[in-house]
Amino acid sequence: MAKFVGNNDKGSDSRFFTTQKKGEMHELRMELHSTDRNVKVDAVKKVIASMTVGKDVSMLFTDVLNCVQTGNIELKKLVYLYLINYAKTQPELTLLAVNTFVKDASDANPLIRALAVRTMGCIRVDRITEYLCEPLSRALRDEDPYVRKTAAVCVAKLYDIAPELVAERGFLEILHDLISDSNPSVVANGVAALSEIAETSGKDVMKISASVLQKLLAALNECTEWGQVFILDSLAKYTPADGREAEGIIERVTPRLQHANSAVVMSAVKVILSYMELMGSQNSDVIRALTRKLAPPLVTLLNSEPEIQYVALRNINLIVQKRPTILEQEIKVFFCKYNDPIYVKMEKLEIIIKLVSEKNIDQVLLELKEYATEVDVDFVRKAVSAIGRCAVKLERAAERCIGVLLELIQTKVNYVVQESVIVIKDIFRRYPNRYESIIATLCDNLDTLDEPLAKASMIWIIGEYAERIDNADELLDTFLETFEEEDPAVQLQLLSATVKCFLKNPEDTQDMVQRVLDLATEESDNPDLRDRGFIYWRLLSTDPEAAKMVVLGDKPVIEDDTFKLDPSLLNVLIGQIATLSSVYHKPPESFVVRRGAGETNEFDDDDDDDDDEDYEGGGEGEVDLLDMGGLGIADGAGGAQSKERQVPLQKVCGPEKSGGLEISAGFTQRKRKIRLEIEINNISSATEVASLAIQLNKNSFSLSPASQQIVCNPPVAKGSTGRTFCELVINANMMAPPPAAGQPVSPQVQIAIKNMTSGTVFYFAVNCNFEALFSADGAMERSAFIESWKSIDDRSELYGTVSDLPPGAADIESVQKKFLQNNVFFIARRPVPGAEGQEVVYFSMRTVSEMEFLAELTFKQGVNACKVCLKTENTAYGLLAKQALESLLRY
Amino acid sequence: MISEFFVLSPRGDTIIAKQYRNDRGDVGAHERSHTEAFFRKVKFWSDATNEEEYEELQDDDKAEDGARLKRKGDAPPVFLMPDGMVYVHVKRNGLIFCCTTARNVSPNTVIELLASIARIFKDYCGTLSEEALRKNFILCYELLDEMIDYGYPQVTRTENLKSFVYNEPILVEHVVNTGNLVNPKTASASAVHKPVISSVNENGRKSNVNANQKNEIFVDILERLNVLFSNNGYVLNSTIDGCIQMKSYLAGNPELRLALNEDLVIGRNNAGSYGSVVVDDMNFNDCVNLAEFESARTLSFIPPDGEFVVLNYRVTGEFPTPFRIFPSIEEVEPKKLEVVILIRGEMPANHFGANVTVEMPMPRCTAAASCNVISSPGSGYANAEYVAHEGKLVWTMKKFPGGTEQTMRAKVTLNQPCTTQMRREIGPINMTFEIPMYNVSSLNVRYLRVAEAMVGYTPYRWVRYVTQSSSYVCRL
């Protein structure tokens, strides 16, 4: 363990690292009991040195504790340092120190008072905590600001150990009062503590009012750089009442952009960006002015240390997606420097691609070409790929980009060629039938290709343009020789390409296609390959013309993927600027460990994986159910249950399919968020179910999970039942194809769940309770209702009668109330002329996907039934809406 | 906020570790397995995408590919480890300063905090090295206690920390750090390696800080140049990162006034009159009072103890580059190249570039190269050679006077006939240098004085201008 031996250790602390003789612990113990203060101090130093290098010194607890009663502040600090680290191991003994703590907390020296409070808060022993409240309460009102500021943080510590004590003692209120403290450091720590408690509890304990806001803004100018960060971060969470207020705050925040500390600058940028969002479009002049102000500080961040640059670049990546105008003129600053670390270079490239335009493309191409000759392989590949992405993005520059790629292919550098082939495939998919002239050059380099992705891309190109390549069949044939050893991706492409080739030129390739189909269906144990082989086989044997239509049909043109973060995710991340979330480009839930949610957290630390996704391999989509859709938004709404209607859950999956779990599920809406409620009954799975990953198939409602991860808290052990939920968002990409005309849509939502603990994946379908999708903003003007009602053709009306309603359910008032809770809005009611005791009531509802439904309900006094008539433009969903109303009535 | 702070030595040993929150559950304070895992990750950084490859290669035991995955460049400063904690680190003088966190914190805050901690350790220990920290670890713990509470940064101003510190620093001999930015040749006098508080020497004897303390203040106007030339000498891209740094040992901490050029213009769009000094952007230290900045370009501040940056600035407009590079490569025979690099010093003749190094990568198939330097009078010792293991021509000059031209000729012999691909492997030319007492932006300090004149108070003021290359590259 003796890791360090200094040359001249006498008198220096480093000698504490060196003594490692046999009876060392005994020796230390003796020294700790020494009457000589200096020996004692040195002994404690040795103990702490051992602790630092990774040696267990907990057995000296009593001995160190004995030193606590001392007037020597140096020794006291050392003992406290030890106590904080080992109190947990000896809770009973720690109590012996309580008296000293309590005494110190009323010492005349403010440093000692603060030290005592600070240390007590760090000792997570219940009985110590009991003794903490009194001194803490005094310290919060101490005359010395140093003690007050320490006490403010201590409240956050206490909240972590015993939130109920904080509430009981009214510490939150005192903390709130500290925002008005005369000392800016106290204000800053008060804000920090309140923000933390707000985050942990999910409650708005900060409560920023107009007066609090003024105090925060005033403190902003006076407190330390860290205090400014705390205050700015809490301002970013505040929603200004109107544009004027937002503008006022921005005005006070803007000078922070000039701060030397990048943390202050980033937090100020975050406040301004969030408020810009709120100001909307009516203030376009103000927004333009702000946009101009934001550019210089952001660029300046790029001149800091590389670590700061990296974080800044990850944030700028988001900012240019949200507000491209801010940095559109600044592309030059993102050009890589010779001595930038590789992680900075990679991020700069990403931003260059985002900022490239027809104006600067020539300059950018020159740069990228230069990068493609550097030494770092990953960087070179990314540069080559960037050239391709420029071509996909800018139609008018595509030709120049291809020119550069061809030039690079001429260098014959293995990885440059391979990467070029991969991006050229993308260019072909973006601009079909335009640049085939370069295929010849590509074919010259076939033998350099040894990576699966490059090979697969090349084979795709050969198959797709088989008719233009004289010896396409021969080329494919060379690949076929090693078919069995190839990567599955290459095998799949070979299969498709050969079939394409056959369909274009049946005479010469009959044998070859037969051989490939044999290889795929009989020799391979890859199910994807076999399935695809069988499909082709059947297609070709039953109807070659149909096969042509399927295989050679037009493929969808790929899109420029530069701005590919989902807009809803982007909005979430913009709110998270200057946090780790903005570095990962993932919502915080996906990586922040929730307290008590189990210690394992599935997360692949490849922070780039959103960017690296490639286009789908060939024309044929391979559907991996767990890989559909994208990331969605979510914010960590607490799981507080209100007294809203409990949705009856449907049993959807039996234990035989899911490795011993019985799953019930149903859709519901809470706090304006659509949720999938899941009940897990662990019948026979030996491992606890702690976390699940979820994915939805395309469905009629465009539903997609906000976060793919579901945490079961507490974990569901064998024989028990647990309930959890998954928030859902609307994602237009998840829309299933519409049903045939006149047919109602399927209410089914297909779901795949992966049990992260056991690795089992299972599939099931849940019928969607349509009422869960009704939007809380769906209320309609009366006049608009009449208008729509008239405009919808009577033929698309849906009728039905609900009878045998539960007693009281036919009372119009209660129906109205019940409906309102479920976002079905009352429009009007009137008695039916000429029919005594009958009344019609009109309701409207709108789903979160903006579909409107109008309903007319007829009740008759004394009859436990109701007639429902529903009108909508979205006839395919009419039936579902009607069923939703009926089930609401029955409930 | 942050859960734990630790400092690792270049070999991965923990020098200092302090836990602020027990987000890692109830493990002993001495438990070090996570810092070891972290160190391995930093040392052998590879992307997650390469991880599989890594394992595969280990299985296959392909020796020649082993070299490729040895290091894939530096680890990014922020990453998540499998234990669910995010590790944020910076490297200073070979030491790794790291924080872990379990929350969605501001990474900028953590990085800035780590930089502040490193700075303060240096201020208090005199130097920042493994030895210095080990010798002063109790002092460092004391400082950490005050700098961070429950993971929240608190006091990080050197002078504000003084009143909380009871231990005295133990000095270690300052070792010249070659990895440092500032060239040791012109590095500050030994005075700047003094701790800010009184210290004890190795034998435990106390040195009185006041007795030999001069009343002095060091001011550095430091400009780092990023310039990119095309092969015909045109400037493609150029920026100056400048800052004014100070280290104050003034007794009584008086308020200072620092005046900059009166014609200083901030912001590219507010173009000033001809000849005025234009900077794109400027930012200031917390302590700076800008009341008179708009009107008189004067800053007033009470200098904090220790080293601090008064202001940073950035210039992107055109500025006179101190050196211009004119390369030429000729294929004299199929297997022979003649490389000529001509560099013209364009700064005034009374200035010179010091410790100039010019590097030029050569193709892999280079067999040998003989170099010949043609120096003009006034320049110091110069040498040029082909360094085979780096595959580079390296040309060093002790002194490069302004207004002169220096030329290096190299005859390069190749193993194979030259192809265009080989031509691509040549370059770019990278130049490093330092120009003392010269700055490119012509931003200058008009005066630095104590705000309220006191009789008999005469501080020594050391004002120094330095221009350094940050990235000074010529493409071929």
Side-chain angles (χ1 to χ4, degrees):
Chain A
M1 271 305 156
K3 294 244 167 79
F4 180 81
V5 183
N7 299 328
N8 184 1
D9 288 331
K10 251 193 154 185
S12 80
D13 283 356
S14 67
R15 70 181 189 279
F16 304 125
F17 288 93
T18 57
T19 50
Q20 292 293 320
K21 287 186 291 292
K22 241 191 173 178
E24 182 216 358
M25 282 301 155
H26 176 72
E27 216 168 89
L28 268 177
R29 198 165 276 151
M30 298 309 288
E31 286 171 26
L32 284 170
H33 289 281
S34 161
T35 45
D36 184 343
R37 209 182 62 196
N38 289 333
V39 176
K40 236 182 192 172
V41 172
D42 278 2
V44 184
K45 283 185 182 176
K46 275 184 211 163
V47 172
I48 290 170
S50 306
M51 189 172 85
T52 305
V53 295
K55 200 168 163 57
D56 189 353
V57 285
S58 55
M59 66 290 262
L60 294 169
F61 193 84
T62 343
D63 313 280
V64 178
L65 193 65
N66 274 334
C67 308
V68 76
Q69 270 170 319
T70 170
N72 179 348
I73 189 160
E74 187 191 355
L75 181 58
K76 197 182 277 292
K77 276 186 168 184
L78 291 171
V79 174
Y80 281 0
L81 178 65
Y82 178 89
L83 276 186
I84 291 171
N85 285 320
Y86 283 110
K88 260 266 147 143
T89 60
Q90 309 273 2
E92 291 305 313
L93 290 171
T94 311
L95 276 182
L96 298 174
V98 159
N99 275 336
T100 323
F101 282 132
V102 174
K103 208 170 89 223
D104 284 357
S106 25
D107 198 281
N109 182 346
L111 289 189
I112 295 187
R113 291 205 296 277
L115 181 66
V117 171
R118 189 171 64 206
T119 312
M120 276 176 98
C122 294
I123 294 181
R124 302 172 63 90
V125 173
D126 291 342
R127 307 241 330 251
I128 296 270
T129 315
E130 288 166 27
Y131 288 98
L132 171 63
C133 291
E134 257 328 296
L136 178 56
S137 155
R138 254 180 291 132
L140 281 166
R141 297 192 174 84
D142 201 285
E143 52 177 25
D144 192 290
Y146 178 71
V147 182
R148 288 204 301 278
K149 108 185 159 117
T150 312
V153 175
C154 194
V155 176
K157 296 180 190 170
L158 182 62
Y159 192 88
D160 191 44
I161 312 170
E164 66 289 347
L165 273 179
V166 173
E168 223 169 83
R169 290 301 193 117
F171 285 147
L172 281 184
E173 288 70 32
I174 306 181
L175 215 46
H176 217 256
D177 292 344
L178 290 184
I179 295 183
S180 331
D181 200 282
S182 55
N183 183 298
S185 294
V186 180
V187 180
N189 278 6
V191 171
L194 280 172
S195 309
E196 167 149 351
I197 294 172
E199 199 188 310
T200 328
S201 65
K203 290 180 219 138
D204 176 29
V205 292
M206 195 77 194
K207 286 182 252 158
I208 299 186
S209 61
S211 68
V212 172
L213 183 67
Q214 286 315 313
K215 282 167 195 153
L216 289 179
L217 289 173
L220 189 58
N221 291 330
E222 289 166 26
C223 60
T224 66
E225 46 203 339
W226 314 116
Q228 295 183 20
V229 175
F230 303 154
I231 293 176
L232 287 169
D233 284 349
S234 60
L235 284 177
K237 290 195 193 106
Y238 170 69
T239 316
D242 50 33
R244 285 257 310 277
E245 194 186 23
E247 240 179 279
I249 300 174
I250 288 179
E251 208 168 290
R252 305 280 291 270
V253 167
T254 313
R256 301 294 121 209
L257 292 173
Q258 297 240 295
H259 204 283
N261 184 320
S262 72
V264 178
V265 177
M266 277 317 298
S267 290
V269 168
K270 167 159 123 179
V271 174
I272 294 174
L273 279 175
S274 330
Y275 287 11
M276 269 162 97
E277 200 66 359
L278 296 168
M279 283 160 70
S281 48
Q282 64 269 43
N283 288 316
S284 54
D285 285 347
V286 184
I287 288 184
R288 214 171 304 130
L290 283 172
T291 312
R292 265 201 303 276
K293 275 187 196 153
L294 282 175
L298 286 174
V299 173
T300 297
L301 290 177
L302 297 180
N303 293 328
S304 341
E305 295 86 9
E307 293 94 5
I308 300 280
Q309 283 188 47
Y310 173 76
V311 175
L313 286 164
R314 291 294 286 176
N315 279 293
I316 288 173
N317 191 321
L318 295 173
I319 295 170
V320 294
Q321 291 188 51
K322 182 72 194 170
R323 300 202 175 264
T325 45
I326 294 183
L327 291 164
E328 62 186 357
Q329 305 295 334
E330 305 281 353
I331 194 162
K332 261 182 136 180
V333 302
F334 297 101
F335 289 170
C336 302
K337 285 179 203 155
Y338 188 68
N339 51 353
D340 280 336
I342 183 74
Y343 57 83
V344 167
K345 283 184 175 170
M346 293 297 224
E347 294 306 322
K348 281 187 171 172
L349 264 183
E350 275 299 320
I351 292 169
I352 291 177
I353 302 168
K354 294 209 160 73
L355 290 178
V356 70
S357 66
E358 269 158 26
K359 270 186 235 148
N360 56 29
I361 178 73
D362 288 321
Q363 206 181 2
V364 168
L365 277 179
L366 262 177
E367 280 291 315
L368 293 176
K369 204 165 110 186
E370 203 58 47
Y371 302 160
T373 61
E374 286 203 16
V375 280
D376 190 289
V377 177
D378 286 344
F379 179 59
V380 170
R381 297 191 75 127
K382 191 149 184 158
V384 174
S385 154
I387 298 172
R389 281 166 73 183
C390 289
V392 172
K393 181 174 175 181
L394 304 170
E395 186 166 358
R396 281 158 75 183
E399 195 148 358
R400 273 170 280 169
C401 299
I402 290 177
V404 175
L405 285 173
L406 286 179
E407 236 178 274
L408 290 173
I409 288 178
Q410 300 302 348
T411 65
K412 307 259 181 208
V413 177
N414 177 295
Y415 50 85
V416 172
V417 176
Q418 311 221 38
E419 196 67 37
S420 305
V421 170
I422 296 171
V423 288
I424 286 177
K425 178 215 52 187
D426 290 339
I427 297 175
F428 281 169
R429 291 203 60 193
R430 174 78 173 82
Y431 311 108
N433 302 321
R434 214 182 292 176
Y435 299 108
E436 313 78 58
S437 53
I438 65 173
I439 293 175
T441 324
L442 296 184
C443 290
D444 291 343
N445 291 289
L446 276 186
D447 40 337
T448 22
L449 307 179
D450 54 12
E451 288 168 24
L453 202 52
K455 265 189 189 173
S457 302
M458 189 64 219
I459 293 168
W460 181 84
I461 294 173
I462 297 175
E464 196 61 21
Y465 294 97
E467 69 274 27
R468 326 251 174 141
I469 307 170
D470 298 338
N471 56 347
D473 48 337
E474 284 167 38
L475 292 176
L476 288 176
D477 213 38
T478 52
F479 283 109
L480 280 178
E481 284 162 20
T482 51
F483 187 84
E484 278 138 316
E485 290 116 60
E486 294 291 359
D487 188 271
V490 180
Q491 292 178 336
L492 284 168
Q493 282 311 328
L494 262 175
L495 174 60
S496 299
T498 322
V499 172
K500 282 179 197 164
C501 202
F502 170 70
L503 289 168
K504 288 174 179 172
N505 179 11
E507 288 83 42
D508 300 341
T509 52
Q510 182 97 42
D511 289 349
M512 191 164 79
V513 84
Q514 189 58 50
R515 201 163 87 233
V516 173
L517 288 174
D518 280 342
L519 281 169
T521 54
E522 278 159 32
E523 308 290 325
S524 167
D525 18 327
N526 179 341
D528 285 347
L529 188 64
R530 270 208 315 267
D531 284 358
R532 201 187 279 190
F534 280 126
I535 290 170
Y536 282 140
W537 203 324
R538 239 159 263 166
L539 264 175
L540 292 172
S541 52
T542 43
D543 186 353
E545 276 316 301
K548 244 181 205 174
M549 279 166 65
V550 173
V551 180
L552 303 178
D554 285 339
K555 282 151 202 81
V557 171
I558 59 162
E559 295 288 325
D560 155 33
D561 69 334
T562 329
F563 294 90
K564 71 185 236 172
L565 274 184
D566 183 72
S568 54
L569 174 64
L570 180 60
N571 278 335
V572 170
L573 291 177
I574 285 287
Q576 295 288 342
I577 289 281
T579 68
L580 289 173
S581 199
S582 67
V583 174
Y584 289 131
H585 293 186
K586 285 183 179 159
E589 299 79 19
S590 63
F591 63 89
V592 172
V593 187
R594 289 220 182 97
R595 289 279 167 107
E599 64 278 23
T600 46
N601 190 346
E602 284 286 329
F603 182 85
D604 56 332
D605 53 5
D606 171 16
D607 51 53
D608 263 335
D609 63 356
D610 320 317
D611 310 330
D612 292 346
E613 276 162 28
D614 215 288
Y615 312 113
E616 187 182 284
E620 304 75 17
E622 301 113 299
V623 179
D624 167 9
L625 202 47
L626 279 169
D627 200 32
M628 291 180 307
L631 290 154
I633 50 158
D635 53 22
Q641 296 284 327
S642 61
K643 44 190 185 301
E644 287 166 74
R645 188 173 83 110
Q646 282 290 336
V647 222
L649 302 184
Q650 317 151 21
K651 204 147 274 173
V652 289
C653 185
E656 66 287 347
K657 272 164 70 187
S658 58
L661 305 179
E662 189 176 75
I663 310 278
S664 311
F667 293 87
T668 171
Q669 195 180 108
R670 291 246 189 282
K671 295 183 181 163
R672 296 177 162 229
K673 301 244 161 67
I674 304 166
R675 278 190 189 179
L676 176 68
E677 298 275 351
I678 304 168
E679 193 174 270
I680 302 159
N681 183 0
N682 186 343
I683 294 180
S684 61
S685 169
T687 46
E688 288 191 342
V689 183
S691 113
L692 305 172
I694 187 169
Q695 202 39 275
L696 268 57
N697 199 350
K698 291 191 176 178
N699 53 66
S700 323
F701 313 101
S702 313
L703 290 173
S704 136
S707 149
Q708 299 189 351
Q709 203 179 19
I710 309 177
V711 178
C712 299
N713 189 12
V716 187
K718 187 172 170 179
S720 66
T721 305
R723 225 181 144 109
T724 181
F725 67 89
C726 167
E727 256 172 36
L728 301 172
V729 293
I730 300 294
N731 178 342
N733 297 333
M734 292 295 288
M735 188 65 193
Q743 291 297 311
V745 295
S746 156
Q748 265 195 358
V749 178
Q750 294 172 336
I751 296 173
I753 284 195
K754 181 174 184 188
N755 181 344
M756 300 309 280
T757 338
S758 66
T760 336
V761 180
F762 46 96
Y763 305 87
F764 55 83
V766 188
N767 283 345
C768 181
N769 328 56
F770 202 54
E771 62 270 27
L773 306 184
F774 291 160
S775 157
D777 315 316
M780 212 174 182
E781 284 290 309
R782 207 170 157 158
S783 53
F785 182 88
I786 298 169
E787 195 82 352
S788 319
W789 185 266
K790 281 190 194 146
S791 70
I792 298 172
D793 191 353
D794 279 352
R795 272 171 297 173
S796 48
E797 274 184 11
L798 287 159
Y799 285 102
T801 307
V802 195
S803 49
D804 301 331
L805 289 173
D811 171 46
I812 297 180
E813 253 89 298
S814 70
V815 166
Q816 225 172 294
K817 225 153 115 199
K818 196 159 66 183
F819 274 20
L820 185 65
Q821 277 176 8
N822 287 287
N823 299 332
V824 179
F825 298 93
F826 172 75
I827 301 288
R829 66 189 271 189
R830 62 180 170 86
V832 180
E836 188 62 33
Q838 282 196 26
E839 265 195 281
V840 279
V841 196
Y842 294 95
F843 291 97
S844 80
M845 59 229 115
R846 195 164 74 211
T847 65
V848 281
S849 46
E850 306 284 320
M851 290 188 283
E852 277 176 351
F853 299 93
L854 317 173
E856 179 193 71
L857 271 65
T858 317
F859 294 90
K860 190 173 178 186
Q861 231 163 33
V863 179
N864 256 353
C866 161
K867 221 167 80 190
V868 179
C869 164
L870 192 113
K871 275 187 165 189
T872 177
E873 310 256 18
N874 308 86
T875 44
Y877 292 85
L879 195 62
L880 281 175
K882 199 183 100 199
Q883 285 167 352
L885 286 186
E886 289 170 1
S887 81
L888 285 176
L889 277 170
R890 270 184 210 289
Y891 146 68
Chain B
M1 275 310 284
I2 66 164
S3 303
E4 200 190 357
F5 165 82
F6 54 86
V7 184
L8 300 184
S9 78
R11 292 185 312 281
D13 302 328
T14 309
I15 305 174
I16 284 166
K18 188 160 168 65
Q19 204 180 337
Y20 290 98
R21 293 178 175 222
N22 64 342
D23 290 320
R24 284 196 305 127
D26 294 322
V27 289
H30 53 80
E31 171 57 52
R32 291 262 69 87
S33 60
H34 64 297
T35 57
E36 283 158 20
F38 162 78
F39 183 73
R40 275 197 300 280
K41 183 94 179 166
V42 170
K43 193 90 185 160
F44 303 104
W45 176 258
S46 59
D47 286 325
T49 41
N50 298 317
E51 211 112 330
E52 290 159 32
E53 199 181 316
Y54 180 74
E55 275 156 30
E56 248 171 57
L57 283 166
Q58 277 190 328
D59 296 344
D60 293 356
D61 203 18
K62 284 185 198 159
E64 74 274 29
D65 283 335
R68 216 179 53 178
L69 49 90
K70 223 170 51 192
R71 267 191 72 150
K72 296 223 134 199
D74 288 335
V78 183
F79 57 83
L80 193 111
M81 290 281 288
D83 61 0
M85 307 288 283
V86 177
Y87 287 66
V88 183
H89 77 280
V90 303
K91 287 184 185 150
R92 290 288 182 276
N93 290 14
L95 304 170
I96 300 174
F97 288 72
C98 181
C99 279
T100 68
T101 176
R103 288 180 178 248
N104 189 24
V105 302
S106 152
N108 290 90
T109 309
V110 183
I111 292 173
E112 293 277 359
L113 175 65
L114 288 168
S116 303
I117 295 175
R119 198 193 65 237
I120 283 171
F121 282 180
K122 179 171 181 260
D123 280 345
Y124 277 87
C125 303
T127 47
L128 190 62
S129 68
E130 181 177 355
E131 196 190 356
L133 292 192
R134 283 217 194 269
K135 286 196 166 152
N136 294 295
F137 79 103
I138 294 287
L139 172 67
C140 294
Y141 277 125
E142 265 195 300
L143 288 166
L144 280 174
D145 241 0
E146 299 301 330
M147 283 193 281
I148 308 175
D149 188 9
Y150 197 45
Y152 287 104
Q154 299 291 313
V155 185
T156 52
R157 288 264 197 96
T158 308
E159 73 279 13
N160 295 351
L161 283 164
K162 272 185 185 167
S163 51
F164 304 116
V165 172
Y166 287 83
N167 278 280
E168 282 153 350
I170 295 139
L171 286 181
V172 291
E173 203 137 305
H174 173 64
V175 234
V176 175
N177 189 335
T178 44
N180 211 348
L181 246 178
V182 179
N183 197 311
K185 264 274 156 184
T186 49
S188 355
S190 65
V192 293
H193 295 294
K194 259 190 325 216
V196 289
I197 50 176
S198 67
S199 58
V200 284
N201 63 16
E202 296 274 348
N203 302 318
R205 216 175 303 142
K206 200 164 174 173
S207 67
N208 192 342
V209 78
N210 297 320
N212 59 4
Q213 169 143 18
K214 277 193 204 145
N215 208 3
E216 55 192 352
I217 182 159
F218 298 84
V219 183
D220 282 348
I221 292 92
L222 183 66
E223 295 193 343
R224 283 174 298 155
L225 306 186
N226 296 295
V227 182
L228 180 63
F229 294 98
S230 69
N231 55 4
N232 45 17
Y234 281 112
V235 176
L236 294 174
N237 203 354
S238 58
T239 52
I240 305 173
D241 300 341
C243 68
I244 298 185
Q245 264 180 7
M246 281 192 188
K247 189 153 184 172
S248 157
Y249 295 97
L250 293 181
N253 249 3
E255 188 178 0
L256 299 179
R257 290 166 66 83
L258 176 85
L260 303 174
N261 314 38
E262 268 169 331
D263 56 355
L264 177 68
V265 179
I266 295 174
R268 202 110 292 278
N269 306 325
N270 324 323
S273 57
Y274 179 77
S276 60
V277 179
V278 183
V279 301
D280 287 51
D281 191 29
M282 204 172 235
N283 64 43
F284 304 93
N285 191 294
D286 249 348
C287 66
V288 176
N289 177 356
L290 295 172
E292 284 171 76
F293 186 68
E294 274 313 308
S295 54
R297 295 296 182 217
T298 307
L299 311 168
S300 56
F301 53 92
I302 296 171
D305 280 349
E307 200 168 281
F308 74 107
V309 175
V310 184
L311 58 87
N312 290 301
Y313 57 93
R314 178 167 57 83
V315 181
T316 55
E318 278 175 29
F319 53 83
T321 50
F323 297 102
R324 249 169 216 280
I325 308 173
F326 301 94
S328 86
I329 301 170
E330 223 177 304
E331 235 181 282
V332 277
E333 281 170 50
K335 285 188 176 184
K336 280 214 165 88
L337 297 178
E338 182 164 290
V339 178
V340 180
I341 308 175
L342 183 149
I343 302 179
R344 199 157 63 212
E346 302 206 317
M347 64 274 189
N350 53 346
H351 292 284
F352 63 91
N355 296 314
V356 182
T357 307
V358 182
E359 292 179 343
M360 183 175 186
M362 286 285 118
R364 256 164 295 188
C365 59
T366 305
S370 69
C371 306
N372 180 18
V373 181
I374 306 150
S375 313
S376 63
S379 53
Y381 172 77
N383 177 42
E385 60 183 340
Y386 175 67
V387 183
H389 68 273
E390 287 177 27
K392 279 177 183 168
L393 291 174
V394 180
W395 172 23
T396 52
M397 286 164 269
K398 280 265 176 261
K399 204 171 171 188
F400 192 143
T404 63
E405 275 184 8
Q406 316 282 340
T407 313
M408 193 266 293
R409 258 170 219 288
K411 292 195 166 61
V412 183
T413 318
L414 305 174
N415 290 330
Q416 302 154 21
C418 188
T419 61
T420 44
Q421 172 50 22
M422 282 178 206
R423 288 290 291 263
R424 291 191 146 268
E425 285 177 36
I426 305 176
I429 300 171
N430 183 28
M431 186 170 177
T432 56
F433 56 83
E434 182 168 282
I435 310 170
M437 295 323 286
Y438 176 72
N439 73 336
V440 179
S441 68
S442 36
L443 179 97
N444 63 37
V445 173
R446 262 191 297 141
Y447 62 80
L448 171 72
R449 53 171 87 118
V450 177
E452 281 171 57
M454 280 175 277
V455 186
Y457 192 92
T458 45
Y460 292 91
R461 287 159 293 183
W462 306 97
V463 180
R464 187 165 71 134
Y465 291 84
V466 182
T467 297
Q468 286 176 341
S469 57
S470 164
S471 159
Y472 208 83
V473 172
C474 175
R475 282 183 182 161
L476 296 170

